[in-house]
Amino acid sequence: MFWFPFAHRSELKQAKRIVVKLGSAVVTRGDECGLALGRLASIVEQVAMLQNQGREMMIVTSGAVAFGKQRLRHEILLSQSVRQALHSGQNQLKDMSMPVLEARACAAAGQSGLMALYEAMFTQYSICTAQILVTNLDFHDEQKRRNLNSTLQELMRMNIVPIINTNDAVVAPPVPSSDLQGLNVISIKDNDSLAARLAVEMKVDMLIALSDVEGLYDRPPGVDDAKLIDIFYPGDQQSITYGTKSRVGIGGMEAKVKSALWALQGGTSVIIANGTDPKVTGHVITDIVEGKKVGTFFSEVKPAGPTVEQQTEMARHAGRTLASLHPEQRAEIICGLADLLTEKKEEILGANKRDMELAIALTNRLSLSTAKLNSLAIGLRQLAVSSRDSVGRVLRRTRVANNLELEQITVPIGVLLVIFESRPDCLPQVSALAIASGNALLLKGGKEASNTNKILHQLVQEALSLHGVSDAVQLISTREEVEDLCRLDKMIDLIVPRGSSQLVRDIQRAAKGIPVLGHSEGVCHVYVDSEAGLDKAIEIVRDSKCDYPAACNAMETLLIHRDLLRTPLFDQIIDMLRTEQVRKIHAGPRFASYLTFSPSEVKSLRTEYGDLECCIEVVDSMQEAVDHIHKYGSSHTDVIVTENEETAEQFLQQVDSACVFWNSSTRFADGYRFGLGAEVGISTARIHARGPVGLEGLLTTKWVLRGEGHTVADFSDQGSMKYLHENIPIPQGSFS
């Protein structure tokens, strides 16, 4: 019975029977004499973990020759030194030459030691191992093949991990052959072909081939512009240029690919990955099994559309053209998108209805309406007008010397990746901001809004096609995990997460090589000072907490000056919170100490509730409120309510948050309310944009120098020119 390999990485979690092939470069040390023990230990740990999860693990290993070489060299050196000492009658030894060691002898000397090492390592995890040595004959002789199959099946039934290797002590040197042409023919010439043959014979779900490179490249890894291939399909061999084989072993990447394709044809999924990189060795196998984008995945199912890497390249190329358009042309695209939102509203709302019918939760965020679409269109038209002087604006102009002028001008960041949850209205907003700022854009929306996102993206591309840049905005609809997208550090310039604090935290952890614009938490404070006005305090607390409690700019902690306890102002604030159905009020440690029967004491003063729930804490002064905010806040938005202008100014100056307000609701921390038009998100970072981020936050700068053949030698002591460094006034709306 024939079985089929997995079509997508996400399906690899289902793999029950797995072969892990350890290449010579993985198992041996850099000097090719002895084993890389630390690396081997981490691999054994991962295999043991998967075995203990109920999977059936097998290891095809190299290393016997290297282990034997180490032992034989030691024995030869010891023997030579003893003979020389006896012959000369003195302790001073002459230079000793090392004879060439025959590989089969090394294998014979190293097999027992290699197996003993595996056994000792697996014993730490209460797992038993068994050694199996094979040759070509064991697969081509029908009886031996059945015996081998039966032995392996029985070992796995008893929860034993088979350790398999070619019997290098007796095997003949590899010779060219015409194998790998069909399911029934393959010569065991190396451990790559052994692993492939074994995988097909044992109906293995997945073969993980670990080597000393990240995976399969379209050309030798050391060559400029060599690209790691994420997914390799049969028939793509012609697009590959192979390099030399690894420093050890008898195979090479070409042999690995041929063996992998043979196994794939036989129904086994194959991944080639790096098993030597200390940054990933400790989790490379488990990451692969979890479906993460590691190494090269061999698949027979070619996707209908481009890969995410291809989409990124397409977006970057079209984005550069978009950035070079005249401001009026970019504005025309945005106005065209606004028109399409209203013209195609029936199609949009129909797609949204299908999403709503499938949705289990978050229906308020998911829902679109005619009013929402009209509002979106109005906002986009406003952005089109206000963004005409964004890209290419001159910020600074300096006359460095005569006929040598320097300009600092605004330019797009490059390729943006915006990951958003639930809210499909985010798609046209962010797309318009990217268009206005000349940035290429990758969009990854939540699957719960897939139908709505698809139609909205089609409209964005229709608007972009007006000036031939439809590829500048790409919707990622493949099975890419967010963590995998965050690894494209050579292709993506900025990530903007829009969603839950958990989503933002996950992305900040995953995106180690790409800047992330956003905030992981919105722990916002309102401090009611001893000199606060009663009506102002009540309305500001009400709006900050109850207007939209799930928003990141909603109040989470109310700080009350100690003098206000047991006053009408404090009582009315509590009554208002109850009236507004704030379900839980948690007492901070100091507040709880003032109460005989206190509400539940807060577990953490650094909590974002995101609901009709908040914490109340008592402070002795404005300075203590500032200290509390710095200790427990998230640098998002913090407010003081007071009639004392001096106290307020000190608070505004001292609190180190993205937004600091006096006698105003925290809910004002919003790009639309700030007059920024559309908002891509709110950032609590200290570099680049901070607070609500609109168009300006999606721009960076570059320096442009215009001269007439100047060189730095012109300004030396012997040169004829002098630096002037004169600032040149910039006329309103000046462009480079």
Side-chain angles (χ1 to χ4, degrees):
M1 178 181 172
F2 186 76
W3 75 108
F4 297 94
F6 298 121
H8 306 283
R9 283 184 185 268
S10 58
E11 298 171 349
L12 296 177
K13 299 173 185 176
Q14 304 170 27
K16 167 87 172 156
R17 183 170 289 182
I18 302 170
V19 168
V20 177
K21 181 263 175 181
L22 306 180
S24 300
V26 176
V27 176
T28 61
R29 295 192 323 220
D31 61 3
E32 304 174 29
C33 186
L35 304 180
L37 297 180
R39 193 185 301 150
L40 205 56
S42 67
I43 289 170
V44 166
E45 181 180 12
Q46 294 170 80
V47 171
M49 186 181 79
L50 293 171
Q51 180 79 8
N52 287 329
Q53 288 176 358
R55 304 180 198 267
E56 297 174 342
M57 305 298 295
M58 290 181 273
I59 293 178
V60 173
T61 182
S62 301
V65 173
F67 199 90
K69 187 183 292 186
Q70 184 184 36
R71 286 185 62 184
L72 292 180
R73 280 185 175 180
H74 178 76
E75 291 298 327
I76 290 170
L77 286 173
L78 182 62
S79 176
Q80 284 182 340
S81 62
V82 169
R83 286 200 305 271
Q84 193 175 79
L86 292 172
H87 179 73
S88 61
Q90 54 188 341
N91 293 329
Q92 189 174 358
L93 304 178
K94 298 177 182 177
D95 291 339
M96 294 176 287
S97 60
M98 177 61 62
V100 176
L101 299 175
E102 204 272 330
R104 286 194 289 268
C106 291
Q111 279 290 358
S112 59
L114 178 65
M115 194 59 210
L117 182 63
Y118 273 119
E119 190 171 341
M121 287 182 171
F122 273 105
T123 299
Q124 303 299 312
Y125 305 98
S126 302
I127 291 176
C128 184
T129 59
Q131 181 183 31
I132 296 181
L133 298 176
V134 297
T135 65
N136 243 328
L137 292 176
D138 297 313
F139 289 99
H140 291 287
D141 182 287
E142 185 63 24
Q143 185 59 49
K144 289 184 177 181
R145 187 178 64 80
R146 283 201 299 268
N147 292 344
L148 175 63
N149 188 306
S150 175
T151 300
L152 289 169
Q153 296 283 8
E154 183 65 13
L155 289 173
M156 287 186 290
R157 188 188 67 79
M158 293 188 292
N159 200 34
I160 294 173
V161 175
I163 310 292
I164 306 151
N165 195 0
T166 52
N167 192 351
D168 294 325
V170 299
V171 72
V175 295
S177 65
S178 57
D179 60 0
L180 299 166
Q181 300 301 314
L183 288 180
N184 300 316
V185 185
I186 182 170
S187 296
I188 309 302
K189 299 185 295 185
D190 52 36
N191 277 338
D192 294 312
S193 50
L194 169 60
R197 185 69 178 90
L198 185 73
V200 174
E201 174 67 30
M202 300 304 298
K203 293 182 170 55
V204 166
D205 299 314
M206 176 165 50
L207 166 60
I208 300 173
L210 298 183
S211 184
D212 57 352
V213 291
E214 280 70 20
L216 176 61
Y217 285 79
D218 59 352
R219 62 196 73 186
V223 175
D224 288 343
D225 299 326
K227 292 181 181 177
L228 178 66
I229 298 172
D230 172 35
I231 305 176
F232 187 77
Y233 306 98
D236 284 356
Q237 296 97 310
Q238 303 303 319
S239 63
I240 305 297
T241 302
Y242 296 102
T244 57
K245 71 181 186 69
S246 63
R247 60 177 173 82
V248 289
I250 59 176
M253 187 53 72
E254 186 171 8
K256 288 175 175 56
V257 171
K258 286 182 177 180
S259 296
L261 290 173
W262 192 89
L264 183 69
Q265 186 183 358
T268 296
S269 295
V270 183
I271 298 91
I272 295 177
N274 193 332
T276 61
D277 185 348
K279 295 179 181 178
V280 301
T281 301
H283 49 82
V284 60
I285 298 172
T286 51
D287 280 355
I288 289 170
V289 174
E290 288 171 11
K292 294 181 181 178
K293 188 177 285 190
V294 179
T296 299
F297 173 57
F298 287 71
S299 174
E300 290 186 322
V301 181
K302 209 159 192 174
T307 66
V308 67
E309 289 84 0
Q310 291 169 333
Q311 283 185 285
T312 308
E313 289 289 350
M314 292 160 60
R316 185 180 289 280
H317 179 75
R320 287 174 176 149
T321 305
L322 174 68
S324 67
L325 294 178
H326 195 273
E328 273 70 26
Q329 292 175 305
R330 287 193 295 271
E332 193 177 356
I333 293 172
I334 297 171
C335 288
L337 175 58
D339 293 339
L340 287 169
L341 290 177
T342 53
E343 291 170 11
K344 305 280 188 178
K345 65 180 179 182
E346 297 303 327
E347 295 177 41
I348 298 169
L349 295 178
N352 187 243
K353 184 181 178 182
R354 291 195 295 275
D355 287 330
M356 292 283 288
E357 290 169 350
L358 296 170
I360 299 172
L362 302 171
T363 52
N364 288 338
R365 296 185 177 192
L366 186 58
S367 174
L368 288 180
S369 63
T370 300
K372 267 189 179 181
L373 292 175
N374 290 337
S375 177
L376 271 172
I378 292 170
L380 296 192
R381 292 189 183 98
Q382 292 173 344
L383 177 65
V385 173
S386 63
S387 65
R388 292 175 190 266
D389 62 346
S390 56
V391 181
R393 188 173 75 256
V394 179
L395 301 179
R396 181 184 304 174
R397 184 175 284 146
T398 303
R399 183 176 289 110
V400 178
N402 290 328
N403 299 318
L404 187 62
E405 286 192 1
L406 178 69
E407 288 180 344
Q408 184 184 20
I409 62 172
T410 57
V411 294
I413 289 174
V415 178
L416 313 178
L417 168 62
V418 177
I419 302 168
F420 57 100
E421 296 176 323
S422 308
R423 296 177 178 272
D425 55 336
C426 171
L427 194 151
Q429 285 180 339
V430 172
S431 297
L433 279 169
I435 294 165
S437 57
N439 283 291
L441 177 63
L442 301 176
L443 292 160
K444 174 70 171 173
K447 60 184 178 181
E448 64 278 356
S450 59
N451 291 303
T452 315
N453 289 337
K454 184 177 180 181
I455 182 67
L456 289 172
H457 177 249
Q458 288 172 355
L459 299 181
V460 171
Q461 291 203 309
E462 186 176 337
L464 286 164
S465 66
L466 182 65
H467 290 290
V469 287
S470 58
D471 286 341
V473 176
Q474 297 281 332
L475 179 65
I476 298 172
S477 55
T478 61
R479 295 172 180 242
E480 305 295 326
E481 296 290 338
V482 168
E483 187 173 339
D484 293 331
L485 294 172
C486 292
R487 294 178 181 177
L488 300 176
D489 56 302
K490 295 180 180 178
M491 309 178 81
I492 295 170
D493 300 301
L494 179 68
I495 299 177
V496 183
R498 293 192 54 160
S500 66
S501 57
Q502 186 60 51
L503 170 73
V504 179
R505 281 194 294 270
D506 289 344
I507 290 171
Q508 287 174 333
R509 276 195 297 267
K512 296 176 181 176
I514 310 173
V516 177
L517 189 152
H519 62 281
S520 59
E521 292 175 313
V523 183
C524 302
H525 297 76
V526 173
Y527 164 56
V528 181
D529 186 54
S530 60
E531 298 181 66
L534 188 147
D535 292 339
K536 285 181 184 176
I538 291 173
E539 288 308 311
I540 288 169
V541 172
R542 182 202 312 274
D543 192 66
S544 296
K545 179 70 258 183
C546 307
D547 175 63
Y548 186 13
C552 64
N553 59 7
M555 181 197 82
E556 304 295 3
T557 298
L558 174 62
L559 299 176
I560 298 286
H561 193 284
R562 182 185 59 183
D563 294 348
L564 296 178
L565 291 178
R566 301 184 178 89
T567 65
L569 187 153
F570 177 74
D571 293 340
Q572 288 185 45
I573 288 176
I574 298 299
D575 289 342
M576 177 274 296
L577 291 173
R578 287 173 179 157
T579 303
E580 294 291 336
Q581 297 184 336
V582 174
R583 291 187 291 272
K584 279 188 180 180
I585 296 177
H586 303 276
R590 289 200 60 194
F591 182 43
S593 69
Y594 285 98
L595 303 173
T596 306
F597 301 101
S598 71
S600 62
E601 187 167 337
V602 69
K603 294 180 180 178
S604 170
L605 289 166
R606 196 180 285 111
T607 301
E608 182 179 13
Y609 300 101
D611 203 346
L612 286 169
E613 192 174 351
C614 70
C615 169
I616 297 179
E617 182 58 310
V618 174
V619 293
D620 289 338
S621 63
M622 181 276 293
Q623 187 58 56
E624 193 171 307
V626 171
D627 294 341
H628 178 103
I629 290 168
H630 287 163
K631 185 173 183 179
Y632 299 109
S634 61
S635 302
H636 192 295
T637 301
D638 299 291
V639 170
I640 183 172
V641 184
T642 185
E643 296 303 308
N644 187 314
E645 184 175 352
E646 183 180 348
T647 301
E649 289 299 334
Q650 289 178 6
F651 183 91
L652 296 176
Q653 184 179 24
Q654 291 183 36
V655 172
D656 185 19
S657 295
C659 301
V660 190
F661 302 159
W662 173 24
N663 287 347
S664 304
S665 167
T666 59
R667 295 281 289 125
F668 276 102
D670 178 86
Y672 177 77
R673 295 184 177 96
F674 278 14
L676 303 179
E679 172 193 283
V680 74
I682 294 180
S683 172
T684 54
R686 300 177 187 279
I687 300 175
H688 191 55
R690 196 177 187 203
V693 181
L695 179 63
E696 297 294 323
L698 299 181
L699 296 170
T700 183
T701 64
K702 72 177 180 182
W703 296 92
V704 176
L705 186 64
R706 293 183 174 89
E708 295 183 359
H710 296 83
T711 67
V712 291
D714 296 334
F715 297 89
S716 65
D717 292 339
Q718 292 78 33
S720 59
M721 300 191 70
K722 301 295 181 185
Y723 287 114
L724 299 176
H725 293 147
E726 296 174 350
N727 288 327
I728 303 171
I730 303 170
Q732 185 84 20
S734 181
F735 286 83
S736 177

